[in-house]
Amino acid sequence: AKSQGRNTYQFFSQDLTTGTLERLVMESALRGAVARKELVLHYQPQIDFADGSLAGAEALVRWQHPELGLVPPDRFIPLAEEMGIIGEIGEWVLNEACRQMVAWAAEGFEVPLVAVNLSARQIDRDQIVEITAGALQRNGLAAERLELEVTESMIMREPERALDVLDGLRALGVALAIDDFGTGYSSLAYLRRLPLNRLKVDQSFVSDIGHDTNGEAIIRAVIALARSLGLSAVAEGVETQAQAAFLRAEGCDIGQGYLYDKPMPAASLRASWGRGRKA
Ligand code: C2E
Ligand code: CA
Ligand code: CA
Ligand code: CA
């Protein structure tokens, strides 16, 4: 495993659900990660299709471990959920994203919106409303500059409960988005009742553009659904000009993907987008 060099985390990642030694090592390392300040947020720009301007940035967490290197979220978020420490990590992420928005503004870099991913365990409890209010207040960030992303499956586990929590969040003034839209089960009846601002078209459909007419039809349907519910449509995983052209032509509002930029440290986002760059 040593020979894999920079990707040494792969040694630990083969199967985190089995009771292996690797898992124990990973667990004990992860337990202190927040306190040791090993978590970092990278930010990926979201581009307004209307004028190519920066519409916002999605905050994506990484674990910077001294030996494992930069561990991607898919390798430790599920483990943190199982360990019952996702609340602590999620609270750190929320606070850090709010802090960064205010720090950027102080440097003269105004990012309109920061989007933060929530995990299922976080919306199981009303506590998330207080935690979010606390992060906004502590940092002095206006609620409408924060967006929280949840998935359909998170909502459909206990829809009435999720509805309560999302209503509580919406009452704070934060924006709400459904992430990976189209990949989970969601009931249109609930969708209509949810206090949403955005639907994020899953990247699997975006990658179908130009290859699979069914995928293209789904994108058109999601954009039409967003429109009729008064929501904006965001496409993720935009990698090519052809995909961007299709999405723009179909009336998608915002695009996010490697075509514009990969997720990057806060200072890099400011360096690339701080002087009003347009995509
Ligand atoms: P997601 O929320 O669906 O985030 C999008 C993922 O797609 C990110 O992976 C991003 O780097 C990647 N991506 C962006 N543009 C492109 C593109 O053009 N092509 C391709 N192939 N991929 C692209 P990342 O950063 O590894 O995050 C993976 C997942 O981890 C996220 O999926 C999200 O579910 C979760 N995650 C990330 N940060 C957090 C967090 O702070 N809290 C929680 N609960 N989950 C998080
Ligand atoms: Ca997301
Ligand atoms: Ca997504
Ligand atoms: Ca995803």
Side-chain angles (χ1 to χ4, degrees):
K2 275 270 162 61
S3 63
Q4 291 181 335
R6 279 165 54 89
N7 291 327
T8 45
Y9 67 83
Q10 285 179 353
F11 178 82
F12 293 90
S13 69
Q14 281 148 8
D15 188 355
L16 295 177
T17 58
T18 60
T20 59
L21 175 64
E22 287 82 357
R23 182 190 159 119
L24 287 177
V25 170
M26 187 95 161
E27 273 194 16
S28 70
L30 186 56
R31 208 169 284 283
V34 173
R36 288 192 304 272
K37 302 189 193 307
E38 289 172 358
L39 298 184
V40 293
L41 294 184
H42 282 189
Y43 297 87
Q44 187 175 34
Q46 299 180 323
I47 283 75
D48 190 330
F49 277 131
D51 62 2
S53 66
L54 183 67
E58 180 173 3
L60 295 153
V61 70
R62 278 94 179 84
W63 177 17
Q64 180 65 69
H65 186 272
E67 281 116 46
L68 305 178
L70 197 64
V71 185
D74 291 338
R75 298 283 176 233
F76 70 90
I77 292 288
L79 182 62
E81 283 172 344
E82 283 178 48
M83 289 167 63
I85 61 167
I86 191 66
E88 186 194 356
I89 291 177
E91 194 169 344
W92 180 86
V93 169
L94 266 170
N95 189 69
E96 175 61 14
C98 294
R99 189 200 63 74
Q100 187 61 63
M101 285 288 277
V102 173
W104 276 327
E107 295 165 348
F109 177 38
E110 293 286 348
V111 177
L113 186 83
V114 69
V116 167
N117 293 279
L118 295 185
S119 90
R121 294 284 171 84
Q122 287 177 282
I123 69 156
D124 277 354
R125 303 154 183 246
D126 304 324
Q127 239 193 340
I128 189 64
V129 180
E130 279 168 55
I131 289 169
T132 303
L136 291 167
Q137 205 172 26
R138 190 176 311 120
N139 295 287
L141 183 70
E144 62 270 18
R145 310 236 346 246
L146 174 65
E147 178 170 79
L148 300 176
E149 297 191 358
V150 297
T151 64
E152 295 161 278
S153 55
M154 280 165 58
I155 293 164
M156 295 313 293
R157 277 159 44 130
E158 263 192 276
E160 291 298 332
R161 178 142 189 69
L163 205 60
D164 265 6
V165 172
L166 295 181
D167 279 337
L169 288 169
R170 193 69 194 102
L172 292 178
V174 301
L176 297 173
I178 303 239
D179 201 1
D180 303 343
F181 190 75
T183 61
Y185 296 98
S186 62
S187 132
L188 292 180
Y190 279 111
L191 201 58
R192 192 170 50 87
R193 290 171 61 199
L194 293 171
L196 300 174
N197 303 80
R198 285 176 167 184
L199 294 184
K200 293 190 81 174
V201 183
D202 190 67
Q203 57 187 51
S204 60
F205 305 120
V206 173
S207 68
D208 283 342
I209 294 171
H211 311 288
D212 180 341
T213 51
N214 290 330
E216 293 177 353
I218 290 171
I219 293 178
R220 286 193 189 92
V222 173
I223 294 171
L225 182 63
R227 183 114 314 139
S228 67
L229 292 171
L231 311 178
S232 56
V234 182
E236 55 181 10
V238 181
E239 295 182 348
T240 68
Q241 289 291 356
Q243 291 167 350
F246 175 94
L247 291 159
R248 201 181 298 112
E250 294 299 333
C252 188
D253 304 288
I254 291 165
Q256 177 183 349
Y258 297 166
L259 174 63
Y260 307 107
D261 269 315
K262 293 197 168 180
M264 60 181 114
S268 309
L269 190 83
R270 181 181 160 221
S272 322
W273 291 86
R275 290 192 191 166
R277 169 187 150 187
K278 296 209 170 175

